[in-house]
Amino acid sequence: MCILAGHTSYIQSVAFSHDSSKIVSGSSDQTVCIWDATTGTLVHTLKGHTSWVRSVAFSHDSSKIVSGSNDETVCIWDATTGTLLNTLKGHTKEVTSVAFSHDSSKIVSGSNDETVCIWDATTGTLLNTLKGHTDWVSSVAFSHDSSKIVSGSDDETVCIWDATTGILVNTLKGHTFGVTSVAFSHDSSKIVSGSNDKTVCIWDATTGILVNTLKGHTFGVTSVAFSHDSSKIVSGSNDKTVCIWDATTGTLVHTLTGHTHWVRSVAFSHDSSKIVSGSYDQTVYIWDAKTRTLVNTLKGHSDCVDSVAFSHDSSKIVSGSDDETVCIWDATTGTLLNTLKGHTKEVSSVAFSHDSSKIVSGSHDETVCIWDATTGTLVNTLKGHSHWVTSVAFSHDSSKIVSGSYDETVCIWDATTGTLVNTLKGHTSGVRSVAFSHDSSKIVSGSSDDTVCIWDATTGTLVNTLKGHSRWVTSVAFSHDSSKIVSGSSDDTVCIWDATTGTLVNTLKGHTSEVKSVAFAHHDSFIISYDRNGRCLCWRTDNFLEYSGNSQQLSIEGEWIVMAPSSNKSSRKLCHLPMPSHQLRDIAYSGNQVAFGVHSGEVYILDFSSMYMSI
């Protein structure tokens, strides 16, 4: 086994050159890497895409590389020098899959715009746009005689096209969930497809008949390929394994284990002696296909992520974990920038100062820590609480910090000196959430005593006690104009309050378990709330005086986060998150982006730009 390390984020796609001397990999770090397949040496890092690289492939003469990206473009590179030769534009959404024809004269690409494009590989001219799928096209491939193209889609079908005329020859139906990967056998007689229904299907490429359904994976299949002698099939899955199958009998020959995250791409070397696999664990593995041993690896948190937050310039994310550390991440690339160590127990809450220069963290070790967000240096450790610190926040002028604790108090600290300015007493049970108003004049706190308290941030005076929840208040937040407060509770409801009068404006019902987190988002036009069962609801706030409760739900269907409107419209798959290891722990919001912290220790970022407009 060989392990190749060089990418700084998830590996999305891997492929061998046709002389088996090189490997190419594409990553969420926006780069394409070329590796020596024998030594594992990094030969070139290709930069040109402005978003995730989703798919890579060599031309059959091994002289060129093609890559497709979430930036909606297809790039052609010189495989020897790494020079960018051409950028192909024509798709209107993310490019998910690319491939060369076997005579290297054409390129095919599939996209989330539901189309398949055929390009001239020399000039970059768009030759044809194939329409027939009704959802994202996830995978494309040429037959080895270059006469046909096969495409797989989230619409659960496999389509066969005439590569010259663009005519749809056949639509293959048999999968019960989205098709993620397709490939022809090297004699062009068979097609293999992988699906999120956990199966691998083998089809007759001429008749379209389903020959065999291979079952063995325990989560969605993400990638499939034939060996070059067409005798074997390899498949990668979100169950973190690589399976080798007998292509004739459908028998499972071997299951390769070693990856610590989803396997996103697999391929055979052209002499069929090796298998390469790329994973979200940021590594590329090279396996010996005969001995089934790992030849080489191309190379966070170790426990639950309890809290996540964006910096106010949206460039960074901070996360706190049960592993006692605070991690700083690049919000664009997902690169781990720093791991902050100083707490001696679980980190329960984290936040950035509004100038993004500092981070505050609260912990079960009863302390509040202030960190330099650039260097990761521990600036100050604030001691004053006598029980777990559950929630921390900066004032919007970054001069003060507020912390809530199970000792039933709310503490206000000077963010520069670390001096304890005031201790606010009024709750009769543990404080679970605190926040400043955006004008920094008020503090809101939620408690296990079922109440929400509003405090004067300067004097520490208790201004109002809001009663309306029938169980613990778990999360509180101000609207950005500081006129409203939202609170979530173990009574399964979300309450909207007038921040000046304390009047209960509305009670939003829709959750079926404890509401864990609430926030105003997208310029106060939405409230987002999520519950213990991982269900997330987006509530419209078109009129602050009349909260209609019109919501759109983020929930789990099988292995997917889906967005389901409250009406009878069909749900939309957003992000694949195998459960239960990815149970939600915390959510943070910045503009149209949502960061999810999950039980298994990862942080995921989703962009909801288009979702807001469709609610």
Side-chain angles (χ1 to χ4, degrees):
M1 177 181 81
C2 185
I3 301 177
L4 316 181
H7 285 295
T8 59
S9 191
Y10 302 147
I11 309 295
Q12 297 282 350
S13 180
V14 290
F16 273 97
S17 62
H18 287 255
D19 60 7
S20 300
S21 67
K22 291 188 178 68
I23 291 168
V24 63
S25 57
S27 168
S28 297
D29 64 11
Q30 305 179 13
T31 68
V32 175
C33 285
I34 305 174
W35 312 83
D36 185 292
T38 305
T39 65
T41 304
L42 178 59
V43 179
H44 281 297
T45 299
L46 314 183
K47 298 180 180 181
H49 286 296
T50 58
S51 189
W52 294 1
V53 179
R54 297 283 295 274
S55 181
V56 290
F58 275 96
S59 62
H60 284 251
D61 59 7
S62 300
S63 67
K64 292 188 178 69
I65 291 168
V66 63
S67 58
S69 168
N70 278 2
D71 63 13
E72 303 175 7
T73 68
V74 175
C75 285
I76 306 173
W77 313 82
D78 185 293
T80 304
T81 65
T83 305
L84 178 59
L85 302 177
N86 215 334
T87 301
L88 314 183
K89 299 180 180 180
H91 285 295
T92 58
K93 287 189 178 180
E94 300 91 335
V95 178
T96 57
S97 182
V98 290
F100 275 96
S101 62
H102 285 250
D103 59 8
S104 300
S105 66
K106 292 187 178 69
I107 291 169
V108 62
S109 59
S111 167
N112 284 350
D113 63 12
E114 303 177 5
T115 70
V116 175
C117 286
I118 305 174
W119 312 81
D120 185 291
T122 304
T123 65
T125 305
L126 178 59
L127 302 177
N128 216 332
T129 301
L130 314 183
K131 299 180 180 180
H133 285 296
T134 58
D135 210 328
W136 304 338
V137 177
S138 53
S139 182
V140 291
F142 274 96
S143 62
H144 285 251
D145 59 8
S146 300
S147 67
K148 291 189 177 66
I149 291 169
V150 63
S151 58
S153 167
D154 230 36
D155 64 12
E156 303 175 7
T157 69
V158 175
C159 285
I160 305 174
W161 312 82
D162 186 292
T164 304
T165 64
I167 295 173
L168 179 59
V169 178
N170 216 332
T171 301
L172 314 183
K173 299 180 180 181
H175 285 295
T176 58
F177 221 98
V179 177
T180 56
S181 182
V182 291
F184 274 96
S185 61
H186 285 252
D187 60 6
S188 300
S189 66
K190 302 236 176 7
I191 292 168
V192 62
S193 59
S195 167
N196 279 320
D197 64 12
K198 308 176 189 177
T199 69
V200 175
C201 285
I202 304 174
W203 312 82
D204 186 292
T206 304
T207 64
I209 295 173
L210 178 59
V211 177
N212 216 332
T213 301
L214 315 183
K215 298 179 180 181
H217 285 294
T218 57
F219 280 113
V221 177
T222 57
S223 182
V224 291
F226 274 97
S227 62
H228 285 249
D229 59 8
S230 300
S231 66
K232 301 277 190 310
I233 291 168
V234 63
S235 58
S237 168
N238 283 341
D239 63 13
K240 306 175 188 176
T241 70
V242 175
C243 285
I244 305 174
W245 312 82
D246 186 292
T248 304
T249 65
T251 305
L252 178 59
V253 177
H254 201 81
T255 301
L256 309 179
T257 60
H259 282 296
T260 59
H261 210 314
W262 308 336
V263 178
R264 302 302 289 175
S265 183
V266 292
F268 271 98
S269 61
H270 286 252
D271 60 5
S272 300
S273 67
K274 292 185 178 69
I275 293 168
V276 63
S277 58
S279 166
Y280 268 19
D281 62 13
Q282 304 180 16
T283 66
V284 176
Y285 281 16
I286 305 173
W287 311 83
D288 187 295
K290 294 181 180 178
T291 64
R292 300 181 288 275
T293 55
L294 187 58
V295 179
N296 208 332
T297 303
L298 316 180
K299 226 168 181 163
H301 286 298
S302 59
D303 209 332
C304 306
V305 176
D306 290 314
S307 182
V308 289
F310 277 93
S311 62
H312 287 256
D313 60 6
S314 300
S315 66
K316 294 187 178 70
I317 291 169
V318 62
S319 56
S321 168
D322 281 0
D323 64 10
E324 305 175 3
T325 70
V326 175
C327 285
I328 307 174
W329 313 80
D330 186 293
T332 304
T333 66
T335 304
L336 177 59
L337 303 176
N338 221 328
T339 301
L340 315 183
K341 298 180 181 181
H343 286 295
T344 58
K345 288 188 179 180
E346 298 94 322
V347 178
S348 53
S349 182
V350 291
F352 274 95
S353 61
H354 284 251
D355 60 7
S356 301
S357 67
K358 291 190 176 63
I359 291 167
V360 63
S361 58
S363 168
H364 285 189
D365 63 12
E366 304 176 8
T367 70
V368 175
C369 286
I370 306 174
W371 313 82
D372 186 292
T374 304
T375 64
T377 305
L378 178 58
V379 178
N380 218 329
T381 301
L382 315 183
K383 298 180 180 180
H385 286 295
S386 58
H387 209 311
W388 300 343
V389 178
T390 56
S391 182
V392 291
F394 274 95
S395 61
H396 284 250
D397 60 7
S398 301
S399 67
K400 292 188 177 65
I401 292 168
V402 63
S403 58
S405 168
Y406 269 24
D407 63 11
E408 304 177 6
T409 70
V410 175
C411 286
I412 306 175
W413 313 82
D414 185 291
T416 304
T417 65
T419 305
L420 178 58
V421 177
N422 219 330
T423 301
L424 315 183
K425 298 180 180 180
H427 286 295
T428 58
S429 190
V431 178
R432 301 174 70 98
S433 180
V434 291
F436 273 97
S437 61
H438 285 250
D439 60 7
S440 300
S441 67
K442 292 188 178 67
I443 291 169
V444 63
S445 57
S447 167
S448 294
D449 63 12
D450 307 345
T451 69
V452 175
C453 286
I454 305 174
W455 313 81
D456 185 291
T458 303
T459 65
T461 305
L462 178 58
V463 177
N464 219 329
T465 301
L466 314 183
K467 298 181 180 180
H469 287 295
S470 59
R471 291 198 69 193
W472 306 338
V473 178
T474 56
S475 181
V476 290
F478 275 96
S479 61
H480 286 253
D481 63 4
S482 300
S483 67
K484 298 288 186 298
I485 291 169
V486 62
S487 59
S489 168
S490 292
D491 64 11
D492 305 348
T493 68
V494 175
C495 286
I496 315 295
W497 313 83
D498 186 291
T500 304
T501 65
T503 305
L504 178 59
V505 178
N506 212 331
T507 301
L508 310 181
K509 298 180 180 180
H511 288 287
T512 56
S513 64
E514 175 183 316
V515 178
K516 298 288 289 180
S517 182
V518 291
F520 282 91
H522 201 54
H523 314 297
D524 289 338
S525 59
F526 289 87
I527 291 168
I528 303 182
S529 56
Y530 90 92
D531 62 33
R532 183 178 291 278
N533 289 339
R535 190 186 200 199
C536 184
L537 296 180
C538 305
W539 309 85
R540 291 200 72 129
T541 59
D542 295 310
N543 186 336
F544 270 141
L545 297 179
E546 296 181 5
Y547 286 80
S548 64
N550 179 20
S551 68
Q552 187 160 20
Q553 175 186 334
L554 297 181
S555 63
I556 303 299
E557 285 186 9
E559 302 166 20
W560 286 80
I561 286 183
V562 300
M563 181 167 277
S566 55
S567 65
N568 292 326
K569 294 179 182 178
S570 60
S571 60
R572 180 64 167 171
K573 287 169 271 189
L574 300 180
C575 183
H576 195 268
L577 295 179
M579 300 296 285
S581 63
H582 291 79
Q583 180 182 2
L584 295 178
R585 300 284 292 190
D586 193 28
I587 294 181
Y589 318 89
S590 177
N592 294 330
Q593 286 187 311
V594 180
F596 296 88
V598 297
H599 190 274
S600 56
E602 291 99 355
V603 176
Y604 296 95
I605 307 170
L606 296 182
D607 192 311
F608 288 86
S609 303
S610 60
M611 307 301 173
Y612 285 121
M613 299 306 296
S614 64
I615 293 181

